[in-house]
Amino acid sequence: MARRAETTERAPETWKEPPVWQIGSAGLLSGVRLGLRSAWRGWRQLSAVALGMIITVTLLSVAPIYTTLVSNTQIAAELASAPSTDRNLEVAARVAPFWQGNLDGLDSVMTDVRRQSFPPNLFSATTEYIECDQTFNMAKVNGYGIGSKQAQALLPGYPGGGQLDLLTYSYTDAAPHMTLYAGRLPQPTPHGAPPEVAVTPKLNAKPGELLTIADGVNTKRTLVVKVVGVWYPKDEFDPFWNGRGFQTVFPTPPATTPPPVFPVLFDRAAFEQTLSFKPASPGEPAIGLTAHYVWFVNASAVTADNVSEIATDVKELRNGLNGNVLGAGGVRGVSLTTRLGDILSQGQTLFGLLRLPLYSVAAQLALMALLFVMTMAGMLIESQGGVIATLRSRGASMTQMLVGYIAQGAGLAALALVVGPLLAMALGLFVIITFVPASHIAGFTLTPEAVLREAPWRQALQPALLGAGLGLLAVIVSAWQASRTDVLAYRRRQGRMDRPPFWQRYYLDLALAALVIAGYLQLASFGALGTRALLASVGAASGFDLVQTLTPALTMVVGALLILRASPWLLRLGAWIAGRGRRATGMLAFSQLARASGMFNRLTLLLALSVGVGLFALTFQTTVARSSLDEAYYLTGADERVVIKPEEEGTQTTEPYRAAFAKMPGVRAVTPLYRSYGLTSSDLDSQNVDMVGVDPGDFARVAAWRPDYAAQSLPALMAALKGSEQGKSAGDTEHPMGALVNSTLAQALSLHVGSKFALAPRESLTSHPIQFIVVGMIADFPTMYNNYPDGYMVTDINDYLAALANPYLAGYPINGPNEFLLTTTPDAKAAAARATALTDPNFYVDSTLDARQLAAAYQSDPLAAGMTGLLLAGTALAALMALVALVSQAGMAARQRATQFAVLRTLGMGDSQLLRMLLSEQTVIYITGALGGIALSALLAAAALPFLAFSSASYQPPELGVPAPRLAVNLNGSVVFLLALFAMFALALAIAGLVARSSGLGQALRVGED
């Protein structure tokens, strides 16, 4: 009987739960009911899980939404600021010979070409105008010869030799853009009546006058027209005129060329009828016309989604115009005037620069949010661990338990899918408005309707589904782990230490670290993310793979996991230190943390990521600002750089410019430069070498310099150049000039300090070389780039100009420095006055560069602004999630450990000691997480920042040679952030203490006193 009873008791252990597809609807419904009841009991933790899912979906969705929104604003801004001739499309078709009626067929062909080549909403309007190829001369006015006194009285000031440009517009389109000073616009006239024309005020013609005009090619062809109106554009720069001017310019006496040209407007029907001359003889040239078709681009119709398609359409139109239009209606030539394709192609490059780095930043923040979801889901399941174990022991199947929690997770995921993309749109809009300057969003109206219309919901749907799915998976995994235990297993687990997580047992963190290292090796081979995107856009690289895109985000995860691998040693160290003291609270706190290592790891990891992301955001923002400043000053060389026109060589000396520039408003110091290049030899294998001459006496006082540009300081390098000056004999065999060579040139010519070499200057007509001696080595030098494969060099301007003064060397006189570097004050009024002074034509200024303006433009780059905004937003969200997690964990721990507190109270611990033990555990978590976050931010800054911290200006030629950005730590901001974080920790400790006193701890104390 005993053996039979034993068999009966063991029988249930062999029972296996049927798979989910074999469970009836009643079982599934009961699982859903269990899930709803548990949701009601754990609504606090469930709300925190919902918050994490929403944040995850928001952060994953914001990258495509922000990228598309800022790209569309950039497109609108570029098109709004571009000249109308660049933005619009103008097709010019030349018809020769022209006869009446043959333009009708051309109009039809051009309408079909436009409709077949482009989307219907691309153009806001279209118009056309026709221009006669020949110019006409004035012959008579009211029958009087143009040279007579009567004609001079009718047209006072009309110069002899003035020409008339005959045109016709569609006045339905043009009239709103015209101002009539007298009369009216031309209208059709009866056959035989003089055609009506409108003229501009400079002609001094009045309505009612008859003008006899003669063909400038064939003076026998004349026609009489009647002036009916005097007009001029309301705005000469109105995009409607598409760059065509109507200003009549008179040559300055005694010059007579070019002659003034007076526009004369016809009615179209009269224009075609009047100019339809038939050649009187086979050799007589026929009149030709050019029909201009202007298509005005609707900037709002060009978006990131169709920019590639439109750029291709423009290219295909340009390539196919001859085949589609040539020959139609007597067309003898056709051309397209626009830069729309180039503008959109540059936009495509910007999109590539924007998208992937932003995805990388968003991935870092989303991983942190997913960890929060896992932490809160673990708390949710752990808080209900006893109930789950009891239900399992009473017959509830694991499938029913999973169905209940899947129902909860699915509801939260659905909520996140609805709310997350809307919040992502709001976050993207906030970043644009807050961080992107107004100049980058000009022409784009940021209304809710426009944002809803432009937001890429399809692109955002995939990352939103991914975020919701990962959040749901975190809930399922946590529920699955808890649903496998019954009451006995649950009680045993509470009394034992947690096993190390599977990723530690199988060393997956070390494998992930190896994967990250491999990703950085590839990034280091090709450069930063922006460089690879640019190379991919021009076909020079294959683009990105997933590992390289996620490498910076994976760096954060690897660093955090490695910190957790070291946490057991930290806990042992803390326990050893606490054990040497007299109080037991510290030892008990460390033992509890070691026992509940899973929750400790999750909270520590979350805190480390929160602190790391916050400090990394501050470092990123500071590094971008410093990098932009470095780039601007490297390009400019000083506060301001003035470049003299190269064609002025040999016309006048520029040496007096130094004194003139020094007297300008806001200028503190000036130093001259002479930029040129030389050839390494006179044979076919010769290579160009960039060179610049500087004045070693004052260059160091003016130029912008970074210590990493060379091993020596700039004053030491200038002293070496000064000490090697040779005077009038500079450059010959006995008197080599001093030179600073960069590493590329040193490697190409096998040079070291003391080496002599020769270069033939470009100014030499006989390839006569100049002798140099290396007096210093440089890695970088302001204003110099690796334009040529053999590198560049710096020499003494005084010696170099002295060498070029030798008549056997230079083929023409050298007028002196061709650039000047200025140290200026930041005063805006002085800068404006200086800019006006530099427009003096006697200075022959070709261009000026202002480092402060360039730095401001670089810092306002949408890419840097977007990443900065997302990181700062992520920092705020990280702090919020950390606070929620800490408070939730503290309250849950106090409630769950009521029995433990009761036992400890029975053993003699007071309520203050128990509270101190609980707060000590939280303090250890805070300190470990904060220290880990500081270490993590340092790892991210050192490893990931060089591949993310850039502005798009860094990838525009010739700035590809700028030095790598330097890491800049925002010490003051980091201290403020850490103080704010510690204040948040203190608040969480206070809340945890209140929760403990009002719930589990108070009950535990009462139980202990029974």
Side-chain angles (χ1 to χ4, degrees):
M1 294 295 292
R3 182 175 300 174
R4 184 178 304 174
E6 181 181 357
T7 305
T8 305
E9 291 177 359
R10 292 181 179 179
E13 297 180 4
T14 62
W15 177 82
K16 294 183 179 180
E17 182 183 345
V20 66
W21 60 82
Q22 294 182 8
I23 296 179
S25 59
L28 295 177
L29 290 177
S30 62
V32 173
R33 287 196 296 270
L34 286 174
L36 293 177
R37 291 178 181 177
S38 62
W40 177 257
R41 289 193 298 268
W43 66 270
R44 293 181 180 88
Q45 287 82 7
L46 203 62
S47 300
V49 174
L51 174 65
M53 284 190 180
I54 291 173
I55 291 176
T56 303
V57 172
T58 300
L59 293 174
L60 286 176
S61 303
V62 74
I65 289 178
Y66 172 82
T67 302
T68 301
L69 286 177
V70 79
S71 298
N72 290 344
T73 59
Q74 280 286 96
I75 291 172
E78 289 290 336
L79 293 178
S81 61
S84 58
T85 52
D86 293 349
R87 178 177 66 248
N88 301 324
L89 278 71
E90 182 173 335
V91 179
R94 184 175 182 274
V95 179
F98 165 73
W99 62 89
Q100 187 174 1
N102 68 339
L103 289 179
D104 296 337
L106 178 60
D107 292 344
S108 178
V109 169
M110 290 306 304
T111 300
D112 293 340
V113 167
R114 187 187 73 244
R115 291 175 178 174
Q116 294 171 8
S117 301
F118 297 99
N121 64 335
L122 178 60
F123 303 110
S124 57
T126 62
T127 191
E128 63 180 282
Y129 69 94
I130 307 170
E131 182 178 18
C132 184
D133 288 349
Q134 283 96 313
T135 57
F136 281 69
N137 301 318
M138 189 79 71
K140 297 180 181 179
V141 182
N142 286 347
Y144 300 107
I146 193 61
S148 64
K149 294 182 179 179
Q150 295 86 345
Q152 290 295 327
L154 292 171
L155 296 180
Y158 178 80
Q163 298 179 346
L164 306 178
D165 186 15
L166 310 187
L167 306 101
T168 179
Y169 268 85
S170 170
Y171 297 112
T172 303
D173 302 332
H177 307 275
M178 304 171 71
T179 298
L180 278 172
Y181 297 106
R184 55 178 175 81
L185 294 175
Q187 296 178 358
T189 54
H191 183 71
E196 297 180 351
V197 298
V199 298
T200 53
K202 289 288 183 68
L203 188 60
N204 289 326
K206 304 175 186 60
E209 293 180 344
L210 296 176
L211 308 180
T212 303
I213 58 179
D215 185 354
V217 177
N218 186 355
T219 56
K220 295 181 180 179
R221 291 193 296 216
T222 61
L223 56 95
V224 178
V225 298
K226 180 180 180 181
V227 178
V228 296
V230 180
W231 78 284
Y232 201 71
K234 291 181 179 179
D235 180 6
E236 291 184 76
F237 304 102
D238 190 329
F240 175 82
W241 305 112
N242 202 42
R244 183 178 187 89
F246 297 92
Q247 181 86 22
T248 301
V249 179
F250 296 93
T252 304
T256 57
T257 57
V261 179
F262 300 91
V264 178
L265 267 57
F266 282 73
D267 169 73
R268 173 160 178 169
F271 183 80
E272 293 187 22
Q273 180 180 1
T274 302
L275 297 181
S276 184
F277 288 106
K278 291 183 179 180
S281 61
E284 182 180 353
I287 286 182
L289 303 179
T290 300
H292 297 261
Y293 298 87
V294 184
W295 304 334
F296 301 98
V297 172
N298 178 18
S300 62
V302 184
T303 65
D305 292 334
N306 61 11
V307 61
S308 177
E309 178 184 352
I310 294 175
T312 302
D313 291 342
V314 173
K315 183 178 180 180
E316 291 179 352
L317 174 66
R318 190 183 299 277
N319 295 334
L321 270 179
N322 287 338
N324 295 326
V325 180
L326 203 62
V331 176
R332 295 294 177 264
V334 61
S335 63
L336 173 65
T337 302
T338 186
R339 286 196 66 253
L340 181 64
D342 296 336
I343 295 173
L344 299 185
S345 297
Q346 293 173 1
Q348 285 180 276
T349 302
L350 175 63
F351 307 154
L353 291 172
L354 276 172
R355 186 171 289 114
L356 290 165
L358 282 177
Y359 283 174
S360 181
V361 171
Q364 296 180 45
L365 301 177
L367 284 174
M368 180 181 60
L370 279 174
L371 177 64
F372 174 77
V373 172
M374 295 179 63
T375 302
M376 299 313 300
M379 287 185 186
L380 172 66
I381 304 301
E382 189 172 337
S383 66
Q384 301 176 12
V387 177
I388 294 174
T390 302
L391 291 175
R392 289 283 289 140
S393 299
R394 294 180 179 179
S397 67
M398 186 170 67
T399 302
Q400 288 176 317
M401 303 303 300
L402 285 177
V403 167
Y405 284 102
I406 289 174
Q408 296 180 40
L412 299 182
L415 177 64
L417 278 176
V418 174
V419 178
L422 295 176
L423 292 179
M425 183 187 68
L427 178 58
L429 187 60
F430 169 77
V431 171
I432 292 175
I433 295 175
T434 306
F435 294 95
V436 180
S439 59
H440 286 272
I441 56 177
F444 188 85
T445 305
L446 290 172
T447 61
E449 295 80 7
V451 173
L452 286 172
R453 182 180 65 252
E454 301 293 339
W457 301 114
R458 292 182 180 178
Q459 292 89 331
L461 181 60
Q462 292 180 352
L465 287 172
L466 176 63
L470 291 175
L472 177 59
L473 181 62
V475 175
I476 294 174
V477 170
S478 299
W480 176 73
Q481 291 177 341
S483 300
R484 293 183 301 168
T485 59
D486 55 14
V487 172
L488 181 58
Y490 175 74
R491 297 301 181 189
R492 288 175 177 173
R493 193 180 65 183
Q494 282 190 319
R496 297 175 181 174
M497 295 181 64
D498 288 344
R499 293 182 63 193
F502 74 96
W503 53 265
Q504 280 190 354
R505 296 197 302 269
Y506 295 101
Y507 300 98
L508 297 182
D509 52 342
L510 300 181
L512 187 59
L515 183 64
V516 168
I517 293 173
Y520 276 117
L521 289 177
Q522 286 195 346
L523 282 174
S525 300
F526 290 96
L529 293 176
T531 304
R532 289 180 55 83
L534 181 63
L535 294 175
S537 69
V538 297
S542 58
F544 292 86
D545 56 54
L546 183 61
V547 173
Q548 289 174 331
T549 305
L550 295 180
T551 294
L554 293 177
T555 303
M556 180 178 66
V557 178
V558 167
L561 294 181
L562 293 178
I563 291 172
L564 290 186
R565 180 170 284 277
S567 62
W569 285 274
L570 296 176
L571 291 178
R572 292 189 190 121
L573 177 63
W576 179 79
I577 296 174
R580 297 177 66 86
R582 295 183 178 181
R583 296 181 178 180
T585 54
M587 191 66 186
L588 289 173
F590 280 104
S591 63
Q592 175 62 29
L593 291 175
R595 179 180 294 110
S597 59
M599 182 57 64
F600 168 76
N601 286 342
R602 287 195 294 267
L603 285 174
T604 303
L605 186 59
L606 182 62
L607 284 174
L609 292 180
S610 301
V611 175
V613 168
L615 295 178
F616 176 71
L618 294 172
T619 304
F620 173 84
Q621 190 176 26
T622 307
T623 301
V624 167
R626 175 70 63 81
S627 176
S628 301
L629 200 64
D630 287 346
E631 290 172 12
Y633 271 94
Y634 191 85
L635 174 63
T636 308
D639 293 335
E640 193 166 348
R641 176 179 168 191
V642 180
V643 181
I644 308 302
K645 292 180 180 179
E647 60 268 19
E648 301 307 323
E649 290 179 345
T651 59
Q652 68 171 8
T653 179
T654 58
E655 181 58 36
Y657 290 4
R658 184 198 298 211
F661 292 161
K663 296 178 181 178
M664 288 185 177
V667 176
R668 291 178 175 174
V670 181
T671 189
L673 301 180
Y674 183 80
R675 196 175 303 278
S676 183
Y677 65 88
L679 286 77
T680 55
S681 64
S682 59
D683 54 28
L684 295 178
D685 295 331
S686 175
Q687 296 291 331
N688 290 342
V689 174
D690 267 332
M691 64 173 65
V692 64
V694 302
D695 188 344
D698 54 18
F699 183 80
R701 292 191 300 108
V702 178
W705 186 259
R706 243 170 53 177
D708 59 337
Y709 288 170
Q712 296 176 274
S713 66
L714 183 58
L717 293 172
M718 293 298 104
L721 280 182
K722 184 72 173 177
S724 63
E725 284 185 346
Q726 301 297 323
K728 294 182 179 181
S729 302
D732 61 24
T733 306
E734 301 298 327
H735 302 87
M737 288 190 296
L740 308 175
V741 299
N742 79 325
S743 55
T744 305
L745 181 59
Q747 183 177 3
L749 302 182
S750 300
L751 301 176
H752 53 82
V753 176
S755 298
K756 293 183 180 181
F757 65 100
L759 292 178
R762 71 170 178 85
E763 296 84 357
S764 174
L765 298 181
T766 61
S767 300
H768 190 85
I770 294 180
Q771 302 296 321
F772 296 93
I773 184 171
V774 179
V775 297
M777 308 294 291
I778 53 178
D780 299 288
F781 200 84
T783 75
M784 298 298 286
Y785 303 94
N786 288 313
N787 293 325
Y788 300 116
D790 279 358
Y792 58 82
M793 56 165 285
V794 181
T795 190
D796 188 321
I797 188 175
N798 303 309
D799 277 0
Y800 195 73
L801 293 179
L804 294 181
N806 295 327
Y808 67 87
L809 185 64
Y812 51 88
I814 304 301
N815 60 342
N818 51 20
E819 293 184 12
F820 293 88
L821 300 185
L822 282 61
T823 300
T824 61
T825 63
D827 185 8
K829 292 183 178 179
R834 187 167 60 253
T836 302
L838 289 173
T839 59
D840 187 337
N842 293 321
F843 288 134
Y844 297 100
V845 173
D846 182 60
S847 63
T848 60
L849 291 173
D850 190 303
R852 297 184 182 94
Q853 294 178 1
L854 284 175
Y858 291 173
Q859 292 173 12
S860 65
D861 177 76
L863 171 58
M867 288 196 289
T868 300
L870 286 181
L871 281 171
L872 292 178
T875 302
L877 292 175
L880 173 63
M881 290 186 291
L883 180 62
V884 171
L886 292 174
V887 174
S888 299
Q889 191 272 341
M892 186 191 73
R895 288 188 294 268
Q896 282 189 331
R897 295 163 61 189
T899 303
Q900 179 188 6
F901 292 153
V903 173
L904 292 174
R905 182 69 178 88
T906 303
L907 293 176
M909 291 190 71
D911 55 352
S912 61
Q913 291 176 304
L914 291 173
L915 182 60
R916 188 163 56 248
M917 182 189 70
L918 181 63
L919 297 183
S920 297
E921 296 172 9
Q922 302 299 311
T923 303
V924 171
I925 293 175
Y926 299 164
I927 294 176
T928 306
L931 294 177
I934 294 173
L936 184 59
S937 67
L939 175 65
L940 280 172
L945 201 57
F947 301 98
L948 294 176
F950 63 89
S951 68
S952 62
S954 305
Y955 303 97
Q956 301 294 330
E959 289 83 356
L960 276 170
V962 297
R966 288 186 301 172
L967 183 65
V969 178
N970 188 343
L971 186 58
N972 293 334
S974 299
V975 170
V976 172
F977 173 76
L978 289 175
L979 290 176
L981 204 61
F982 287 137
M984 185 191 74
F985 290 167
L987 176 62
L989 283 173
I991 295 175
L994 292 176
V995 172
R997 284 184 177 277
S998 62
S999 56
L1001 183 56
Q1003 295 174 6
L1005 294 177
R1006 287 195 297 271
V1007 170
E1009 292 173 350
D1010 291 342

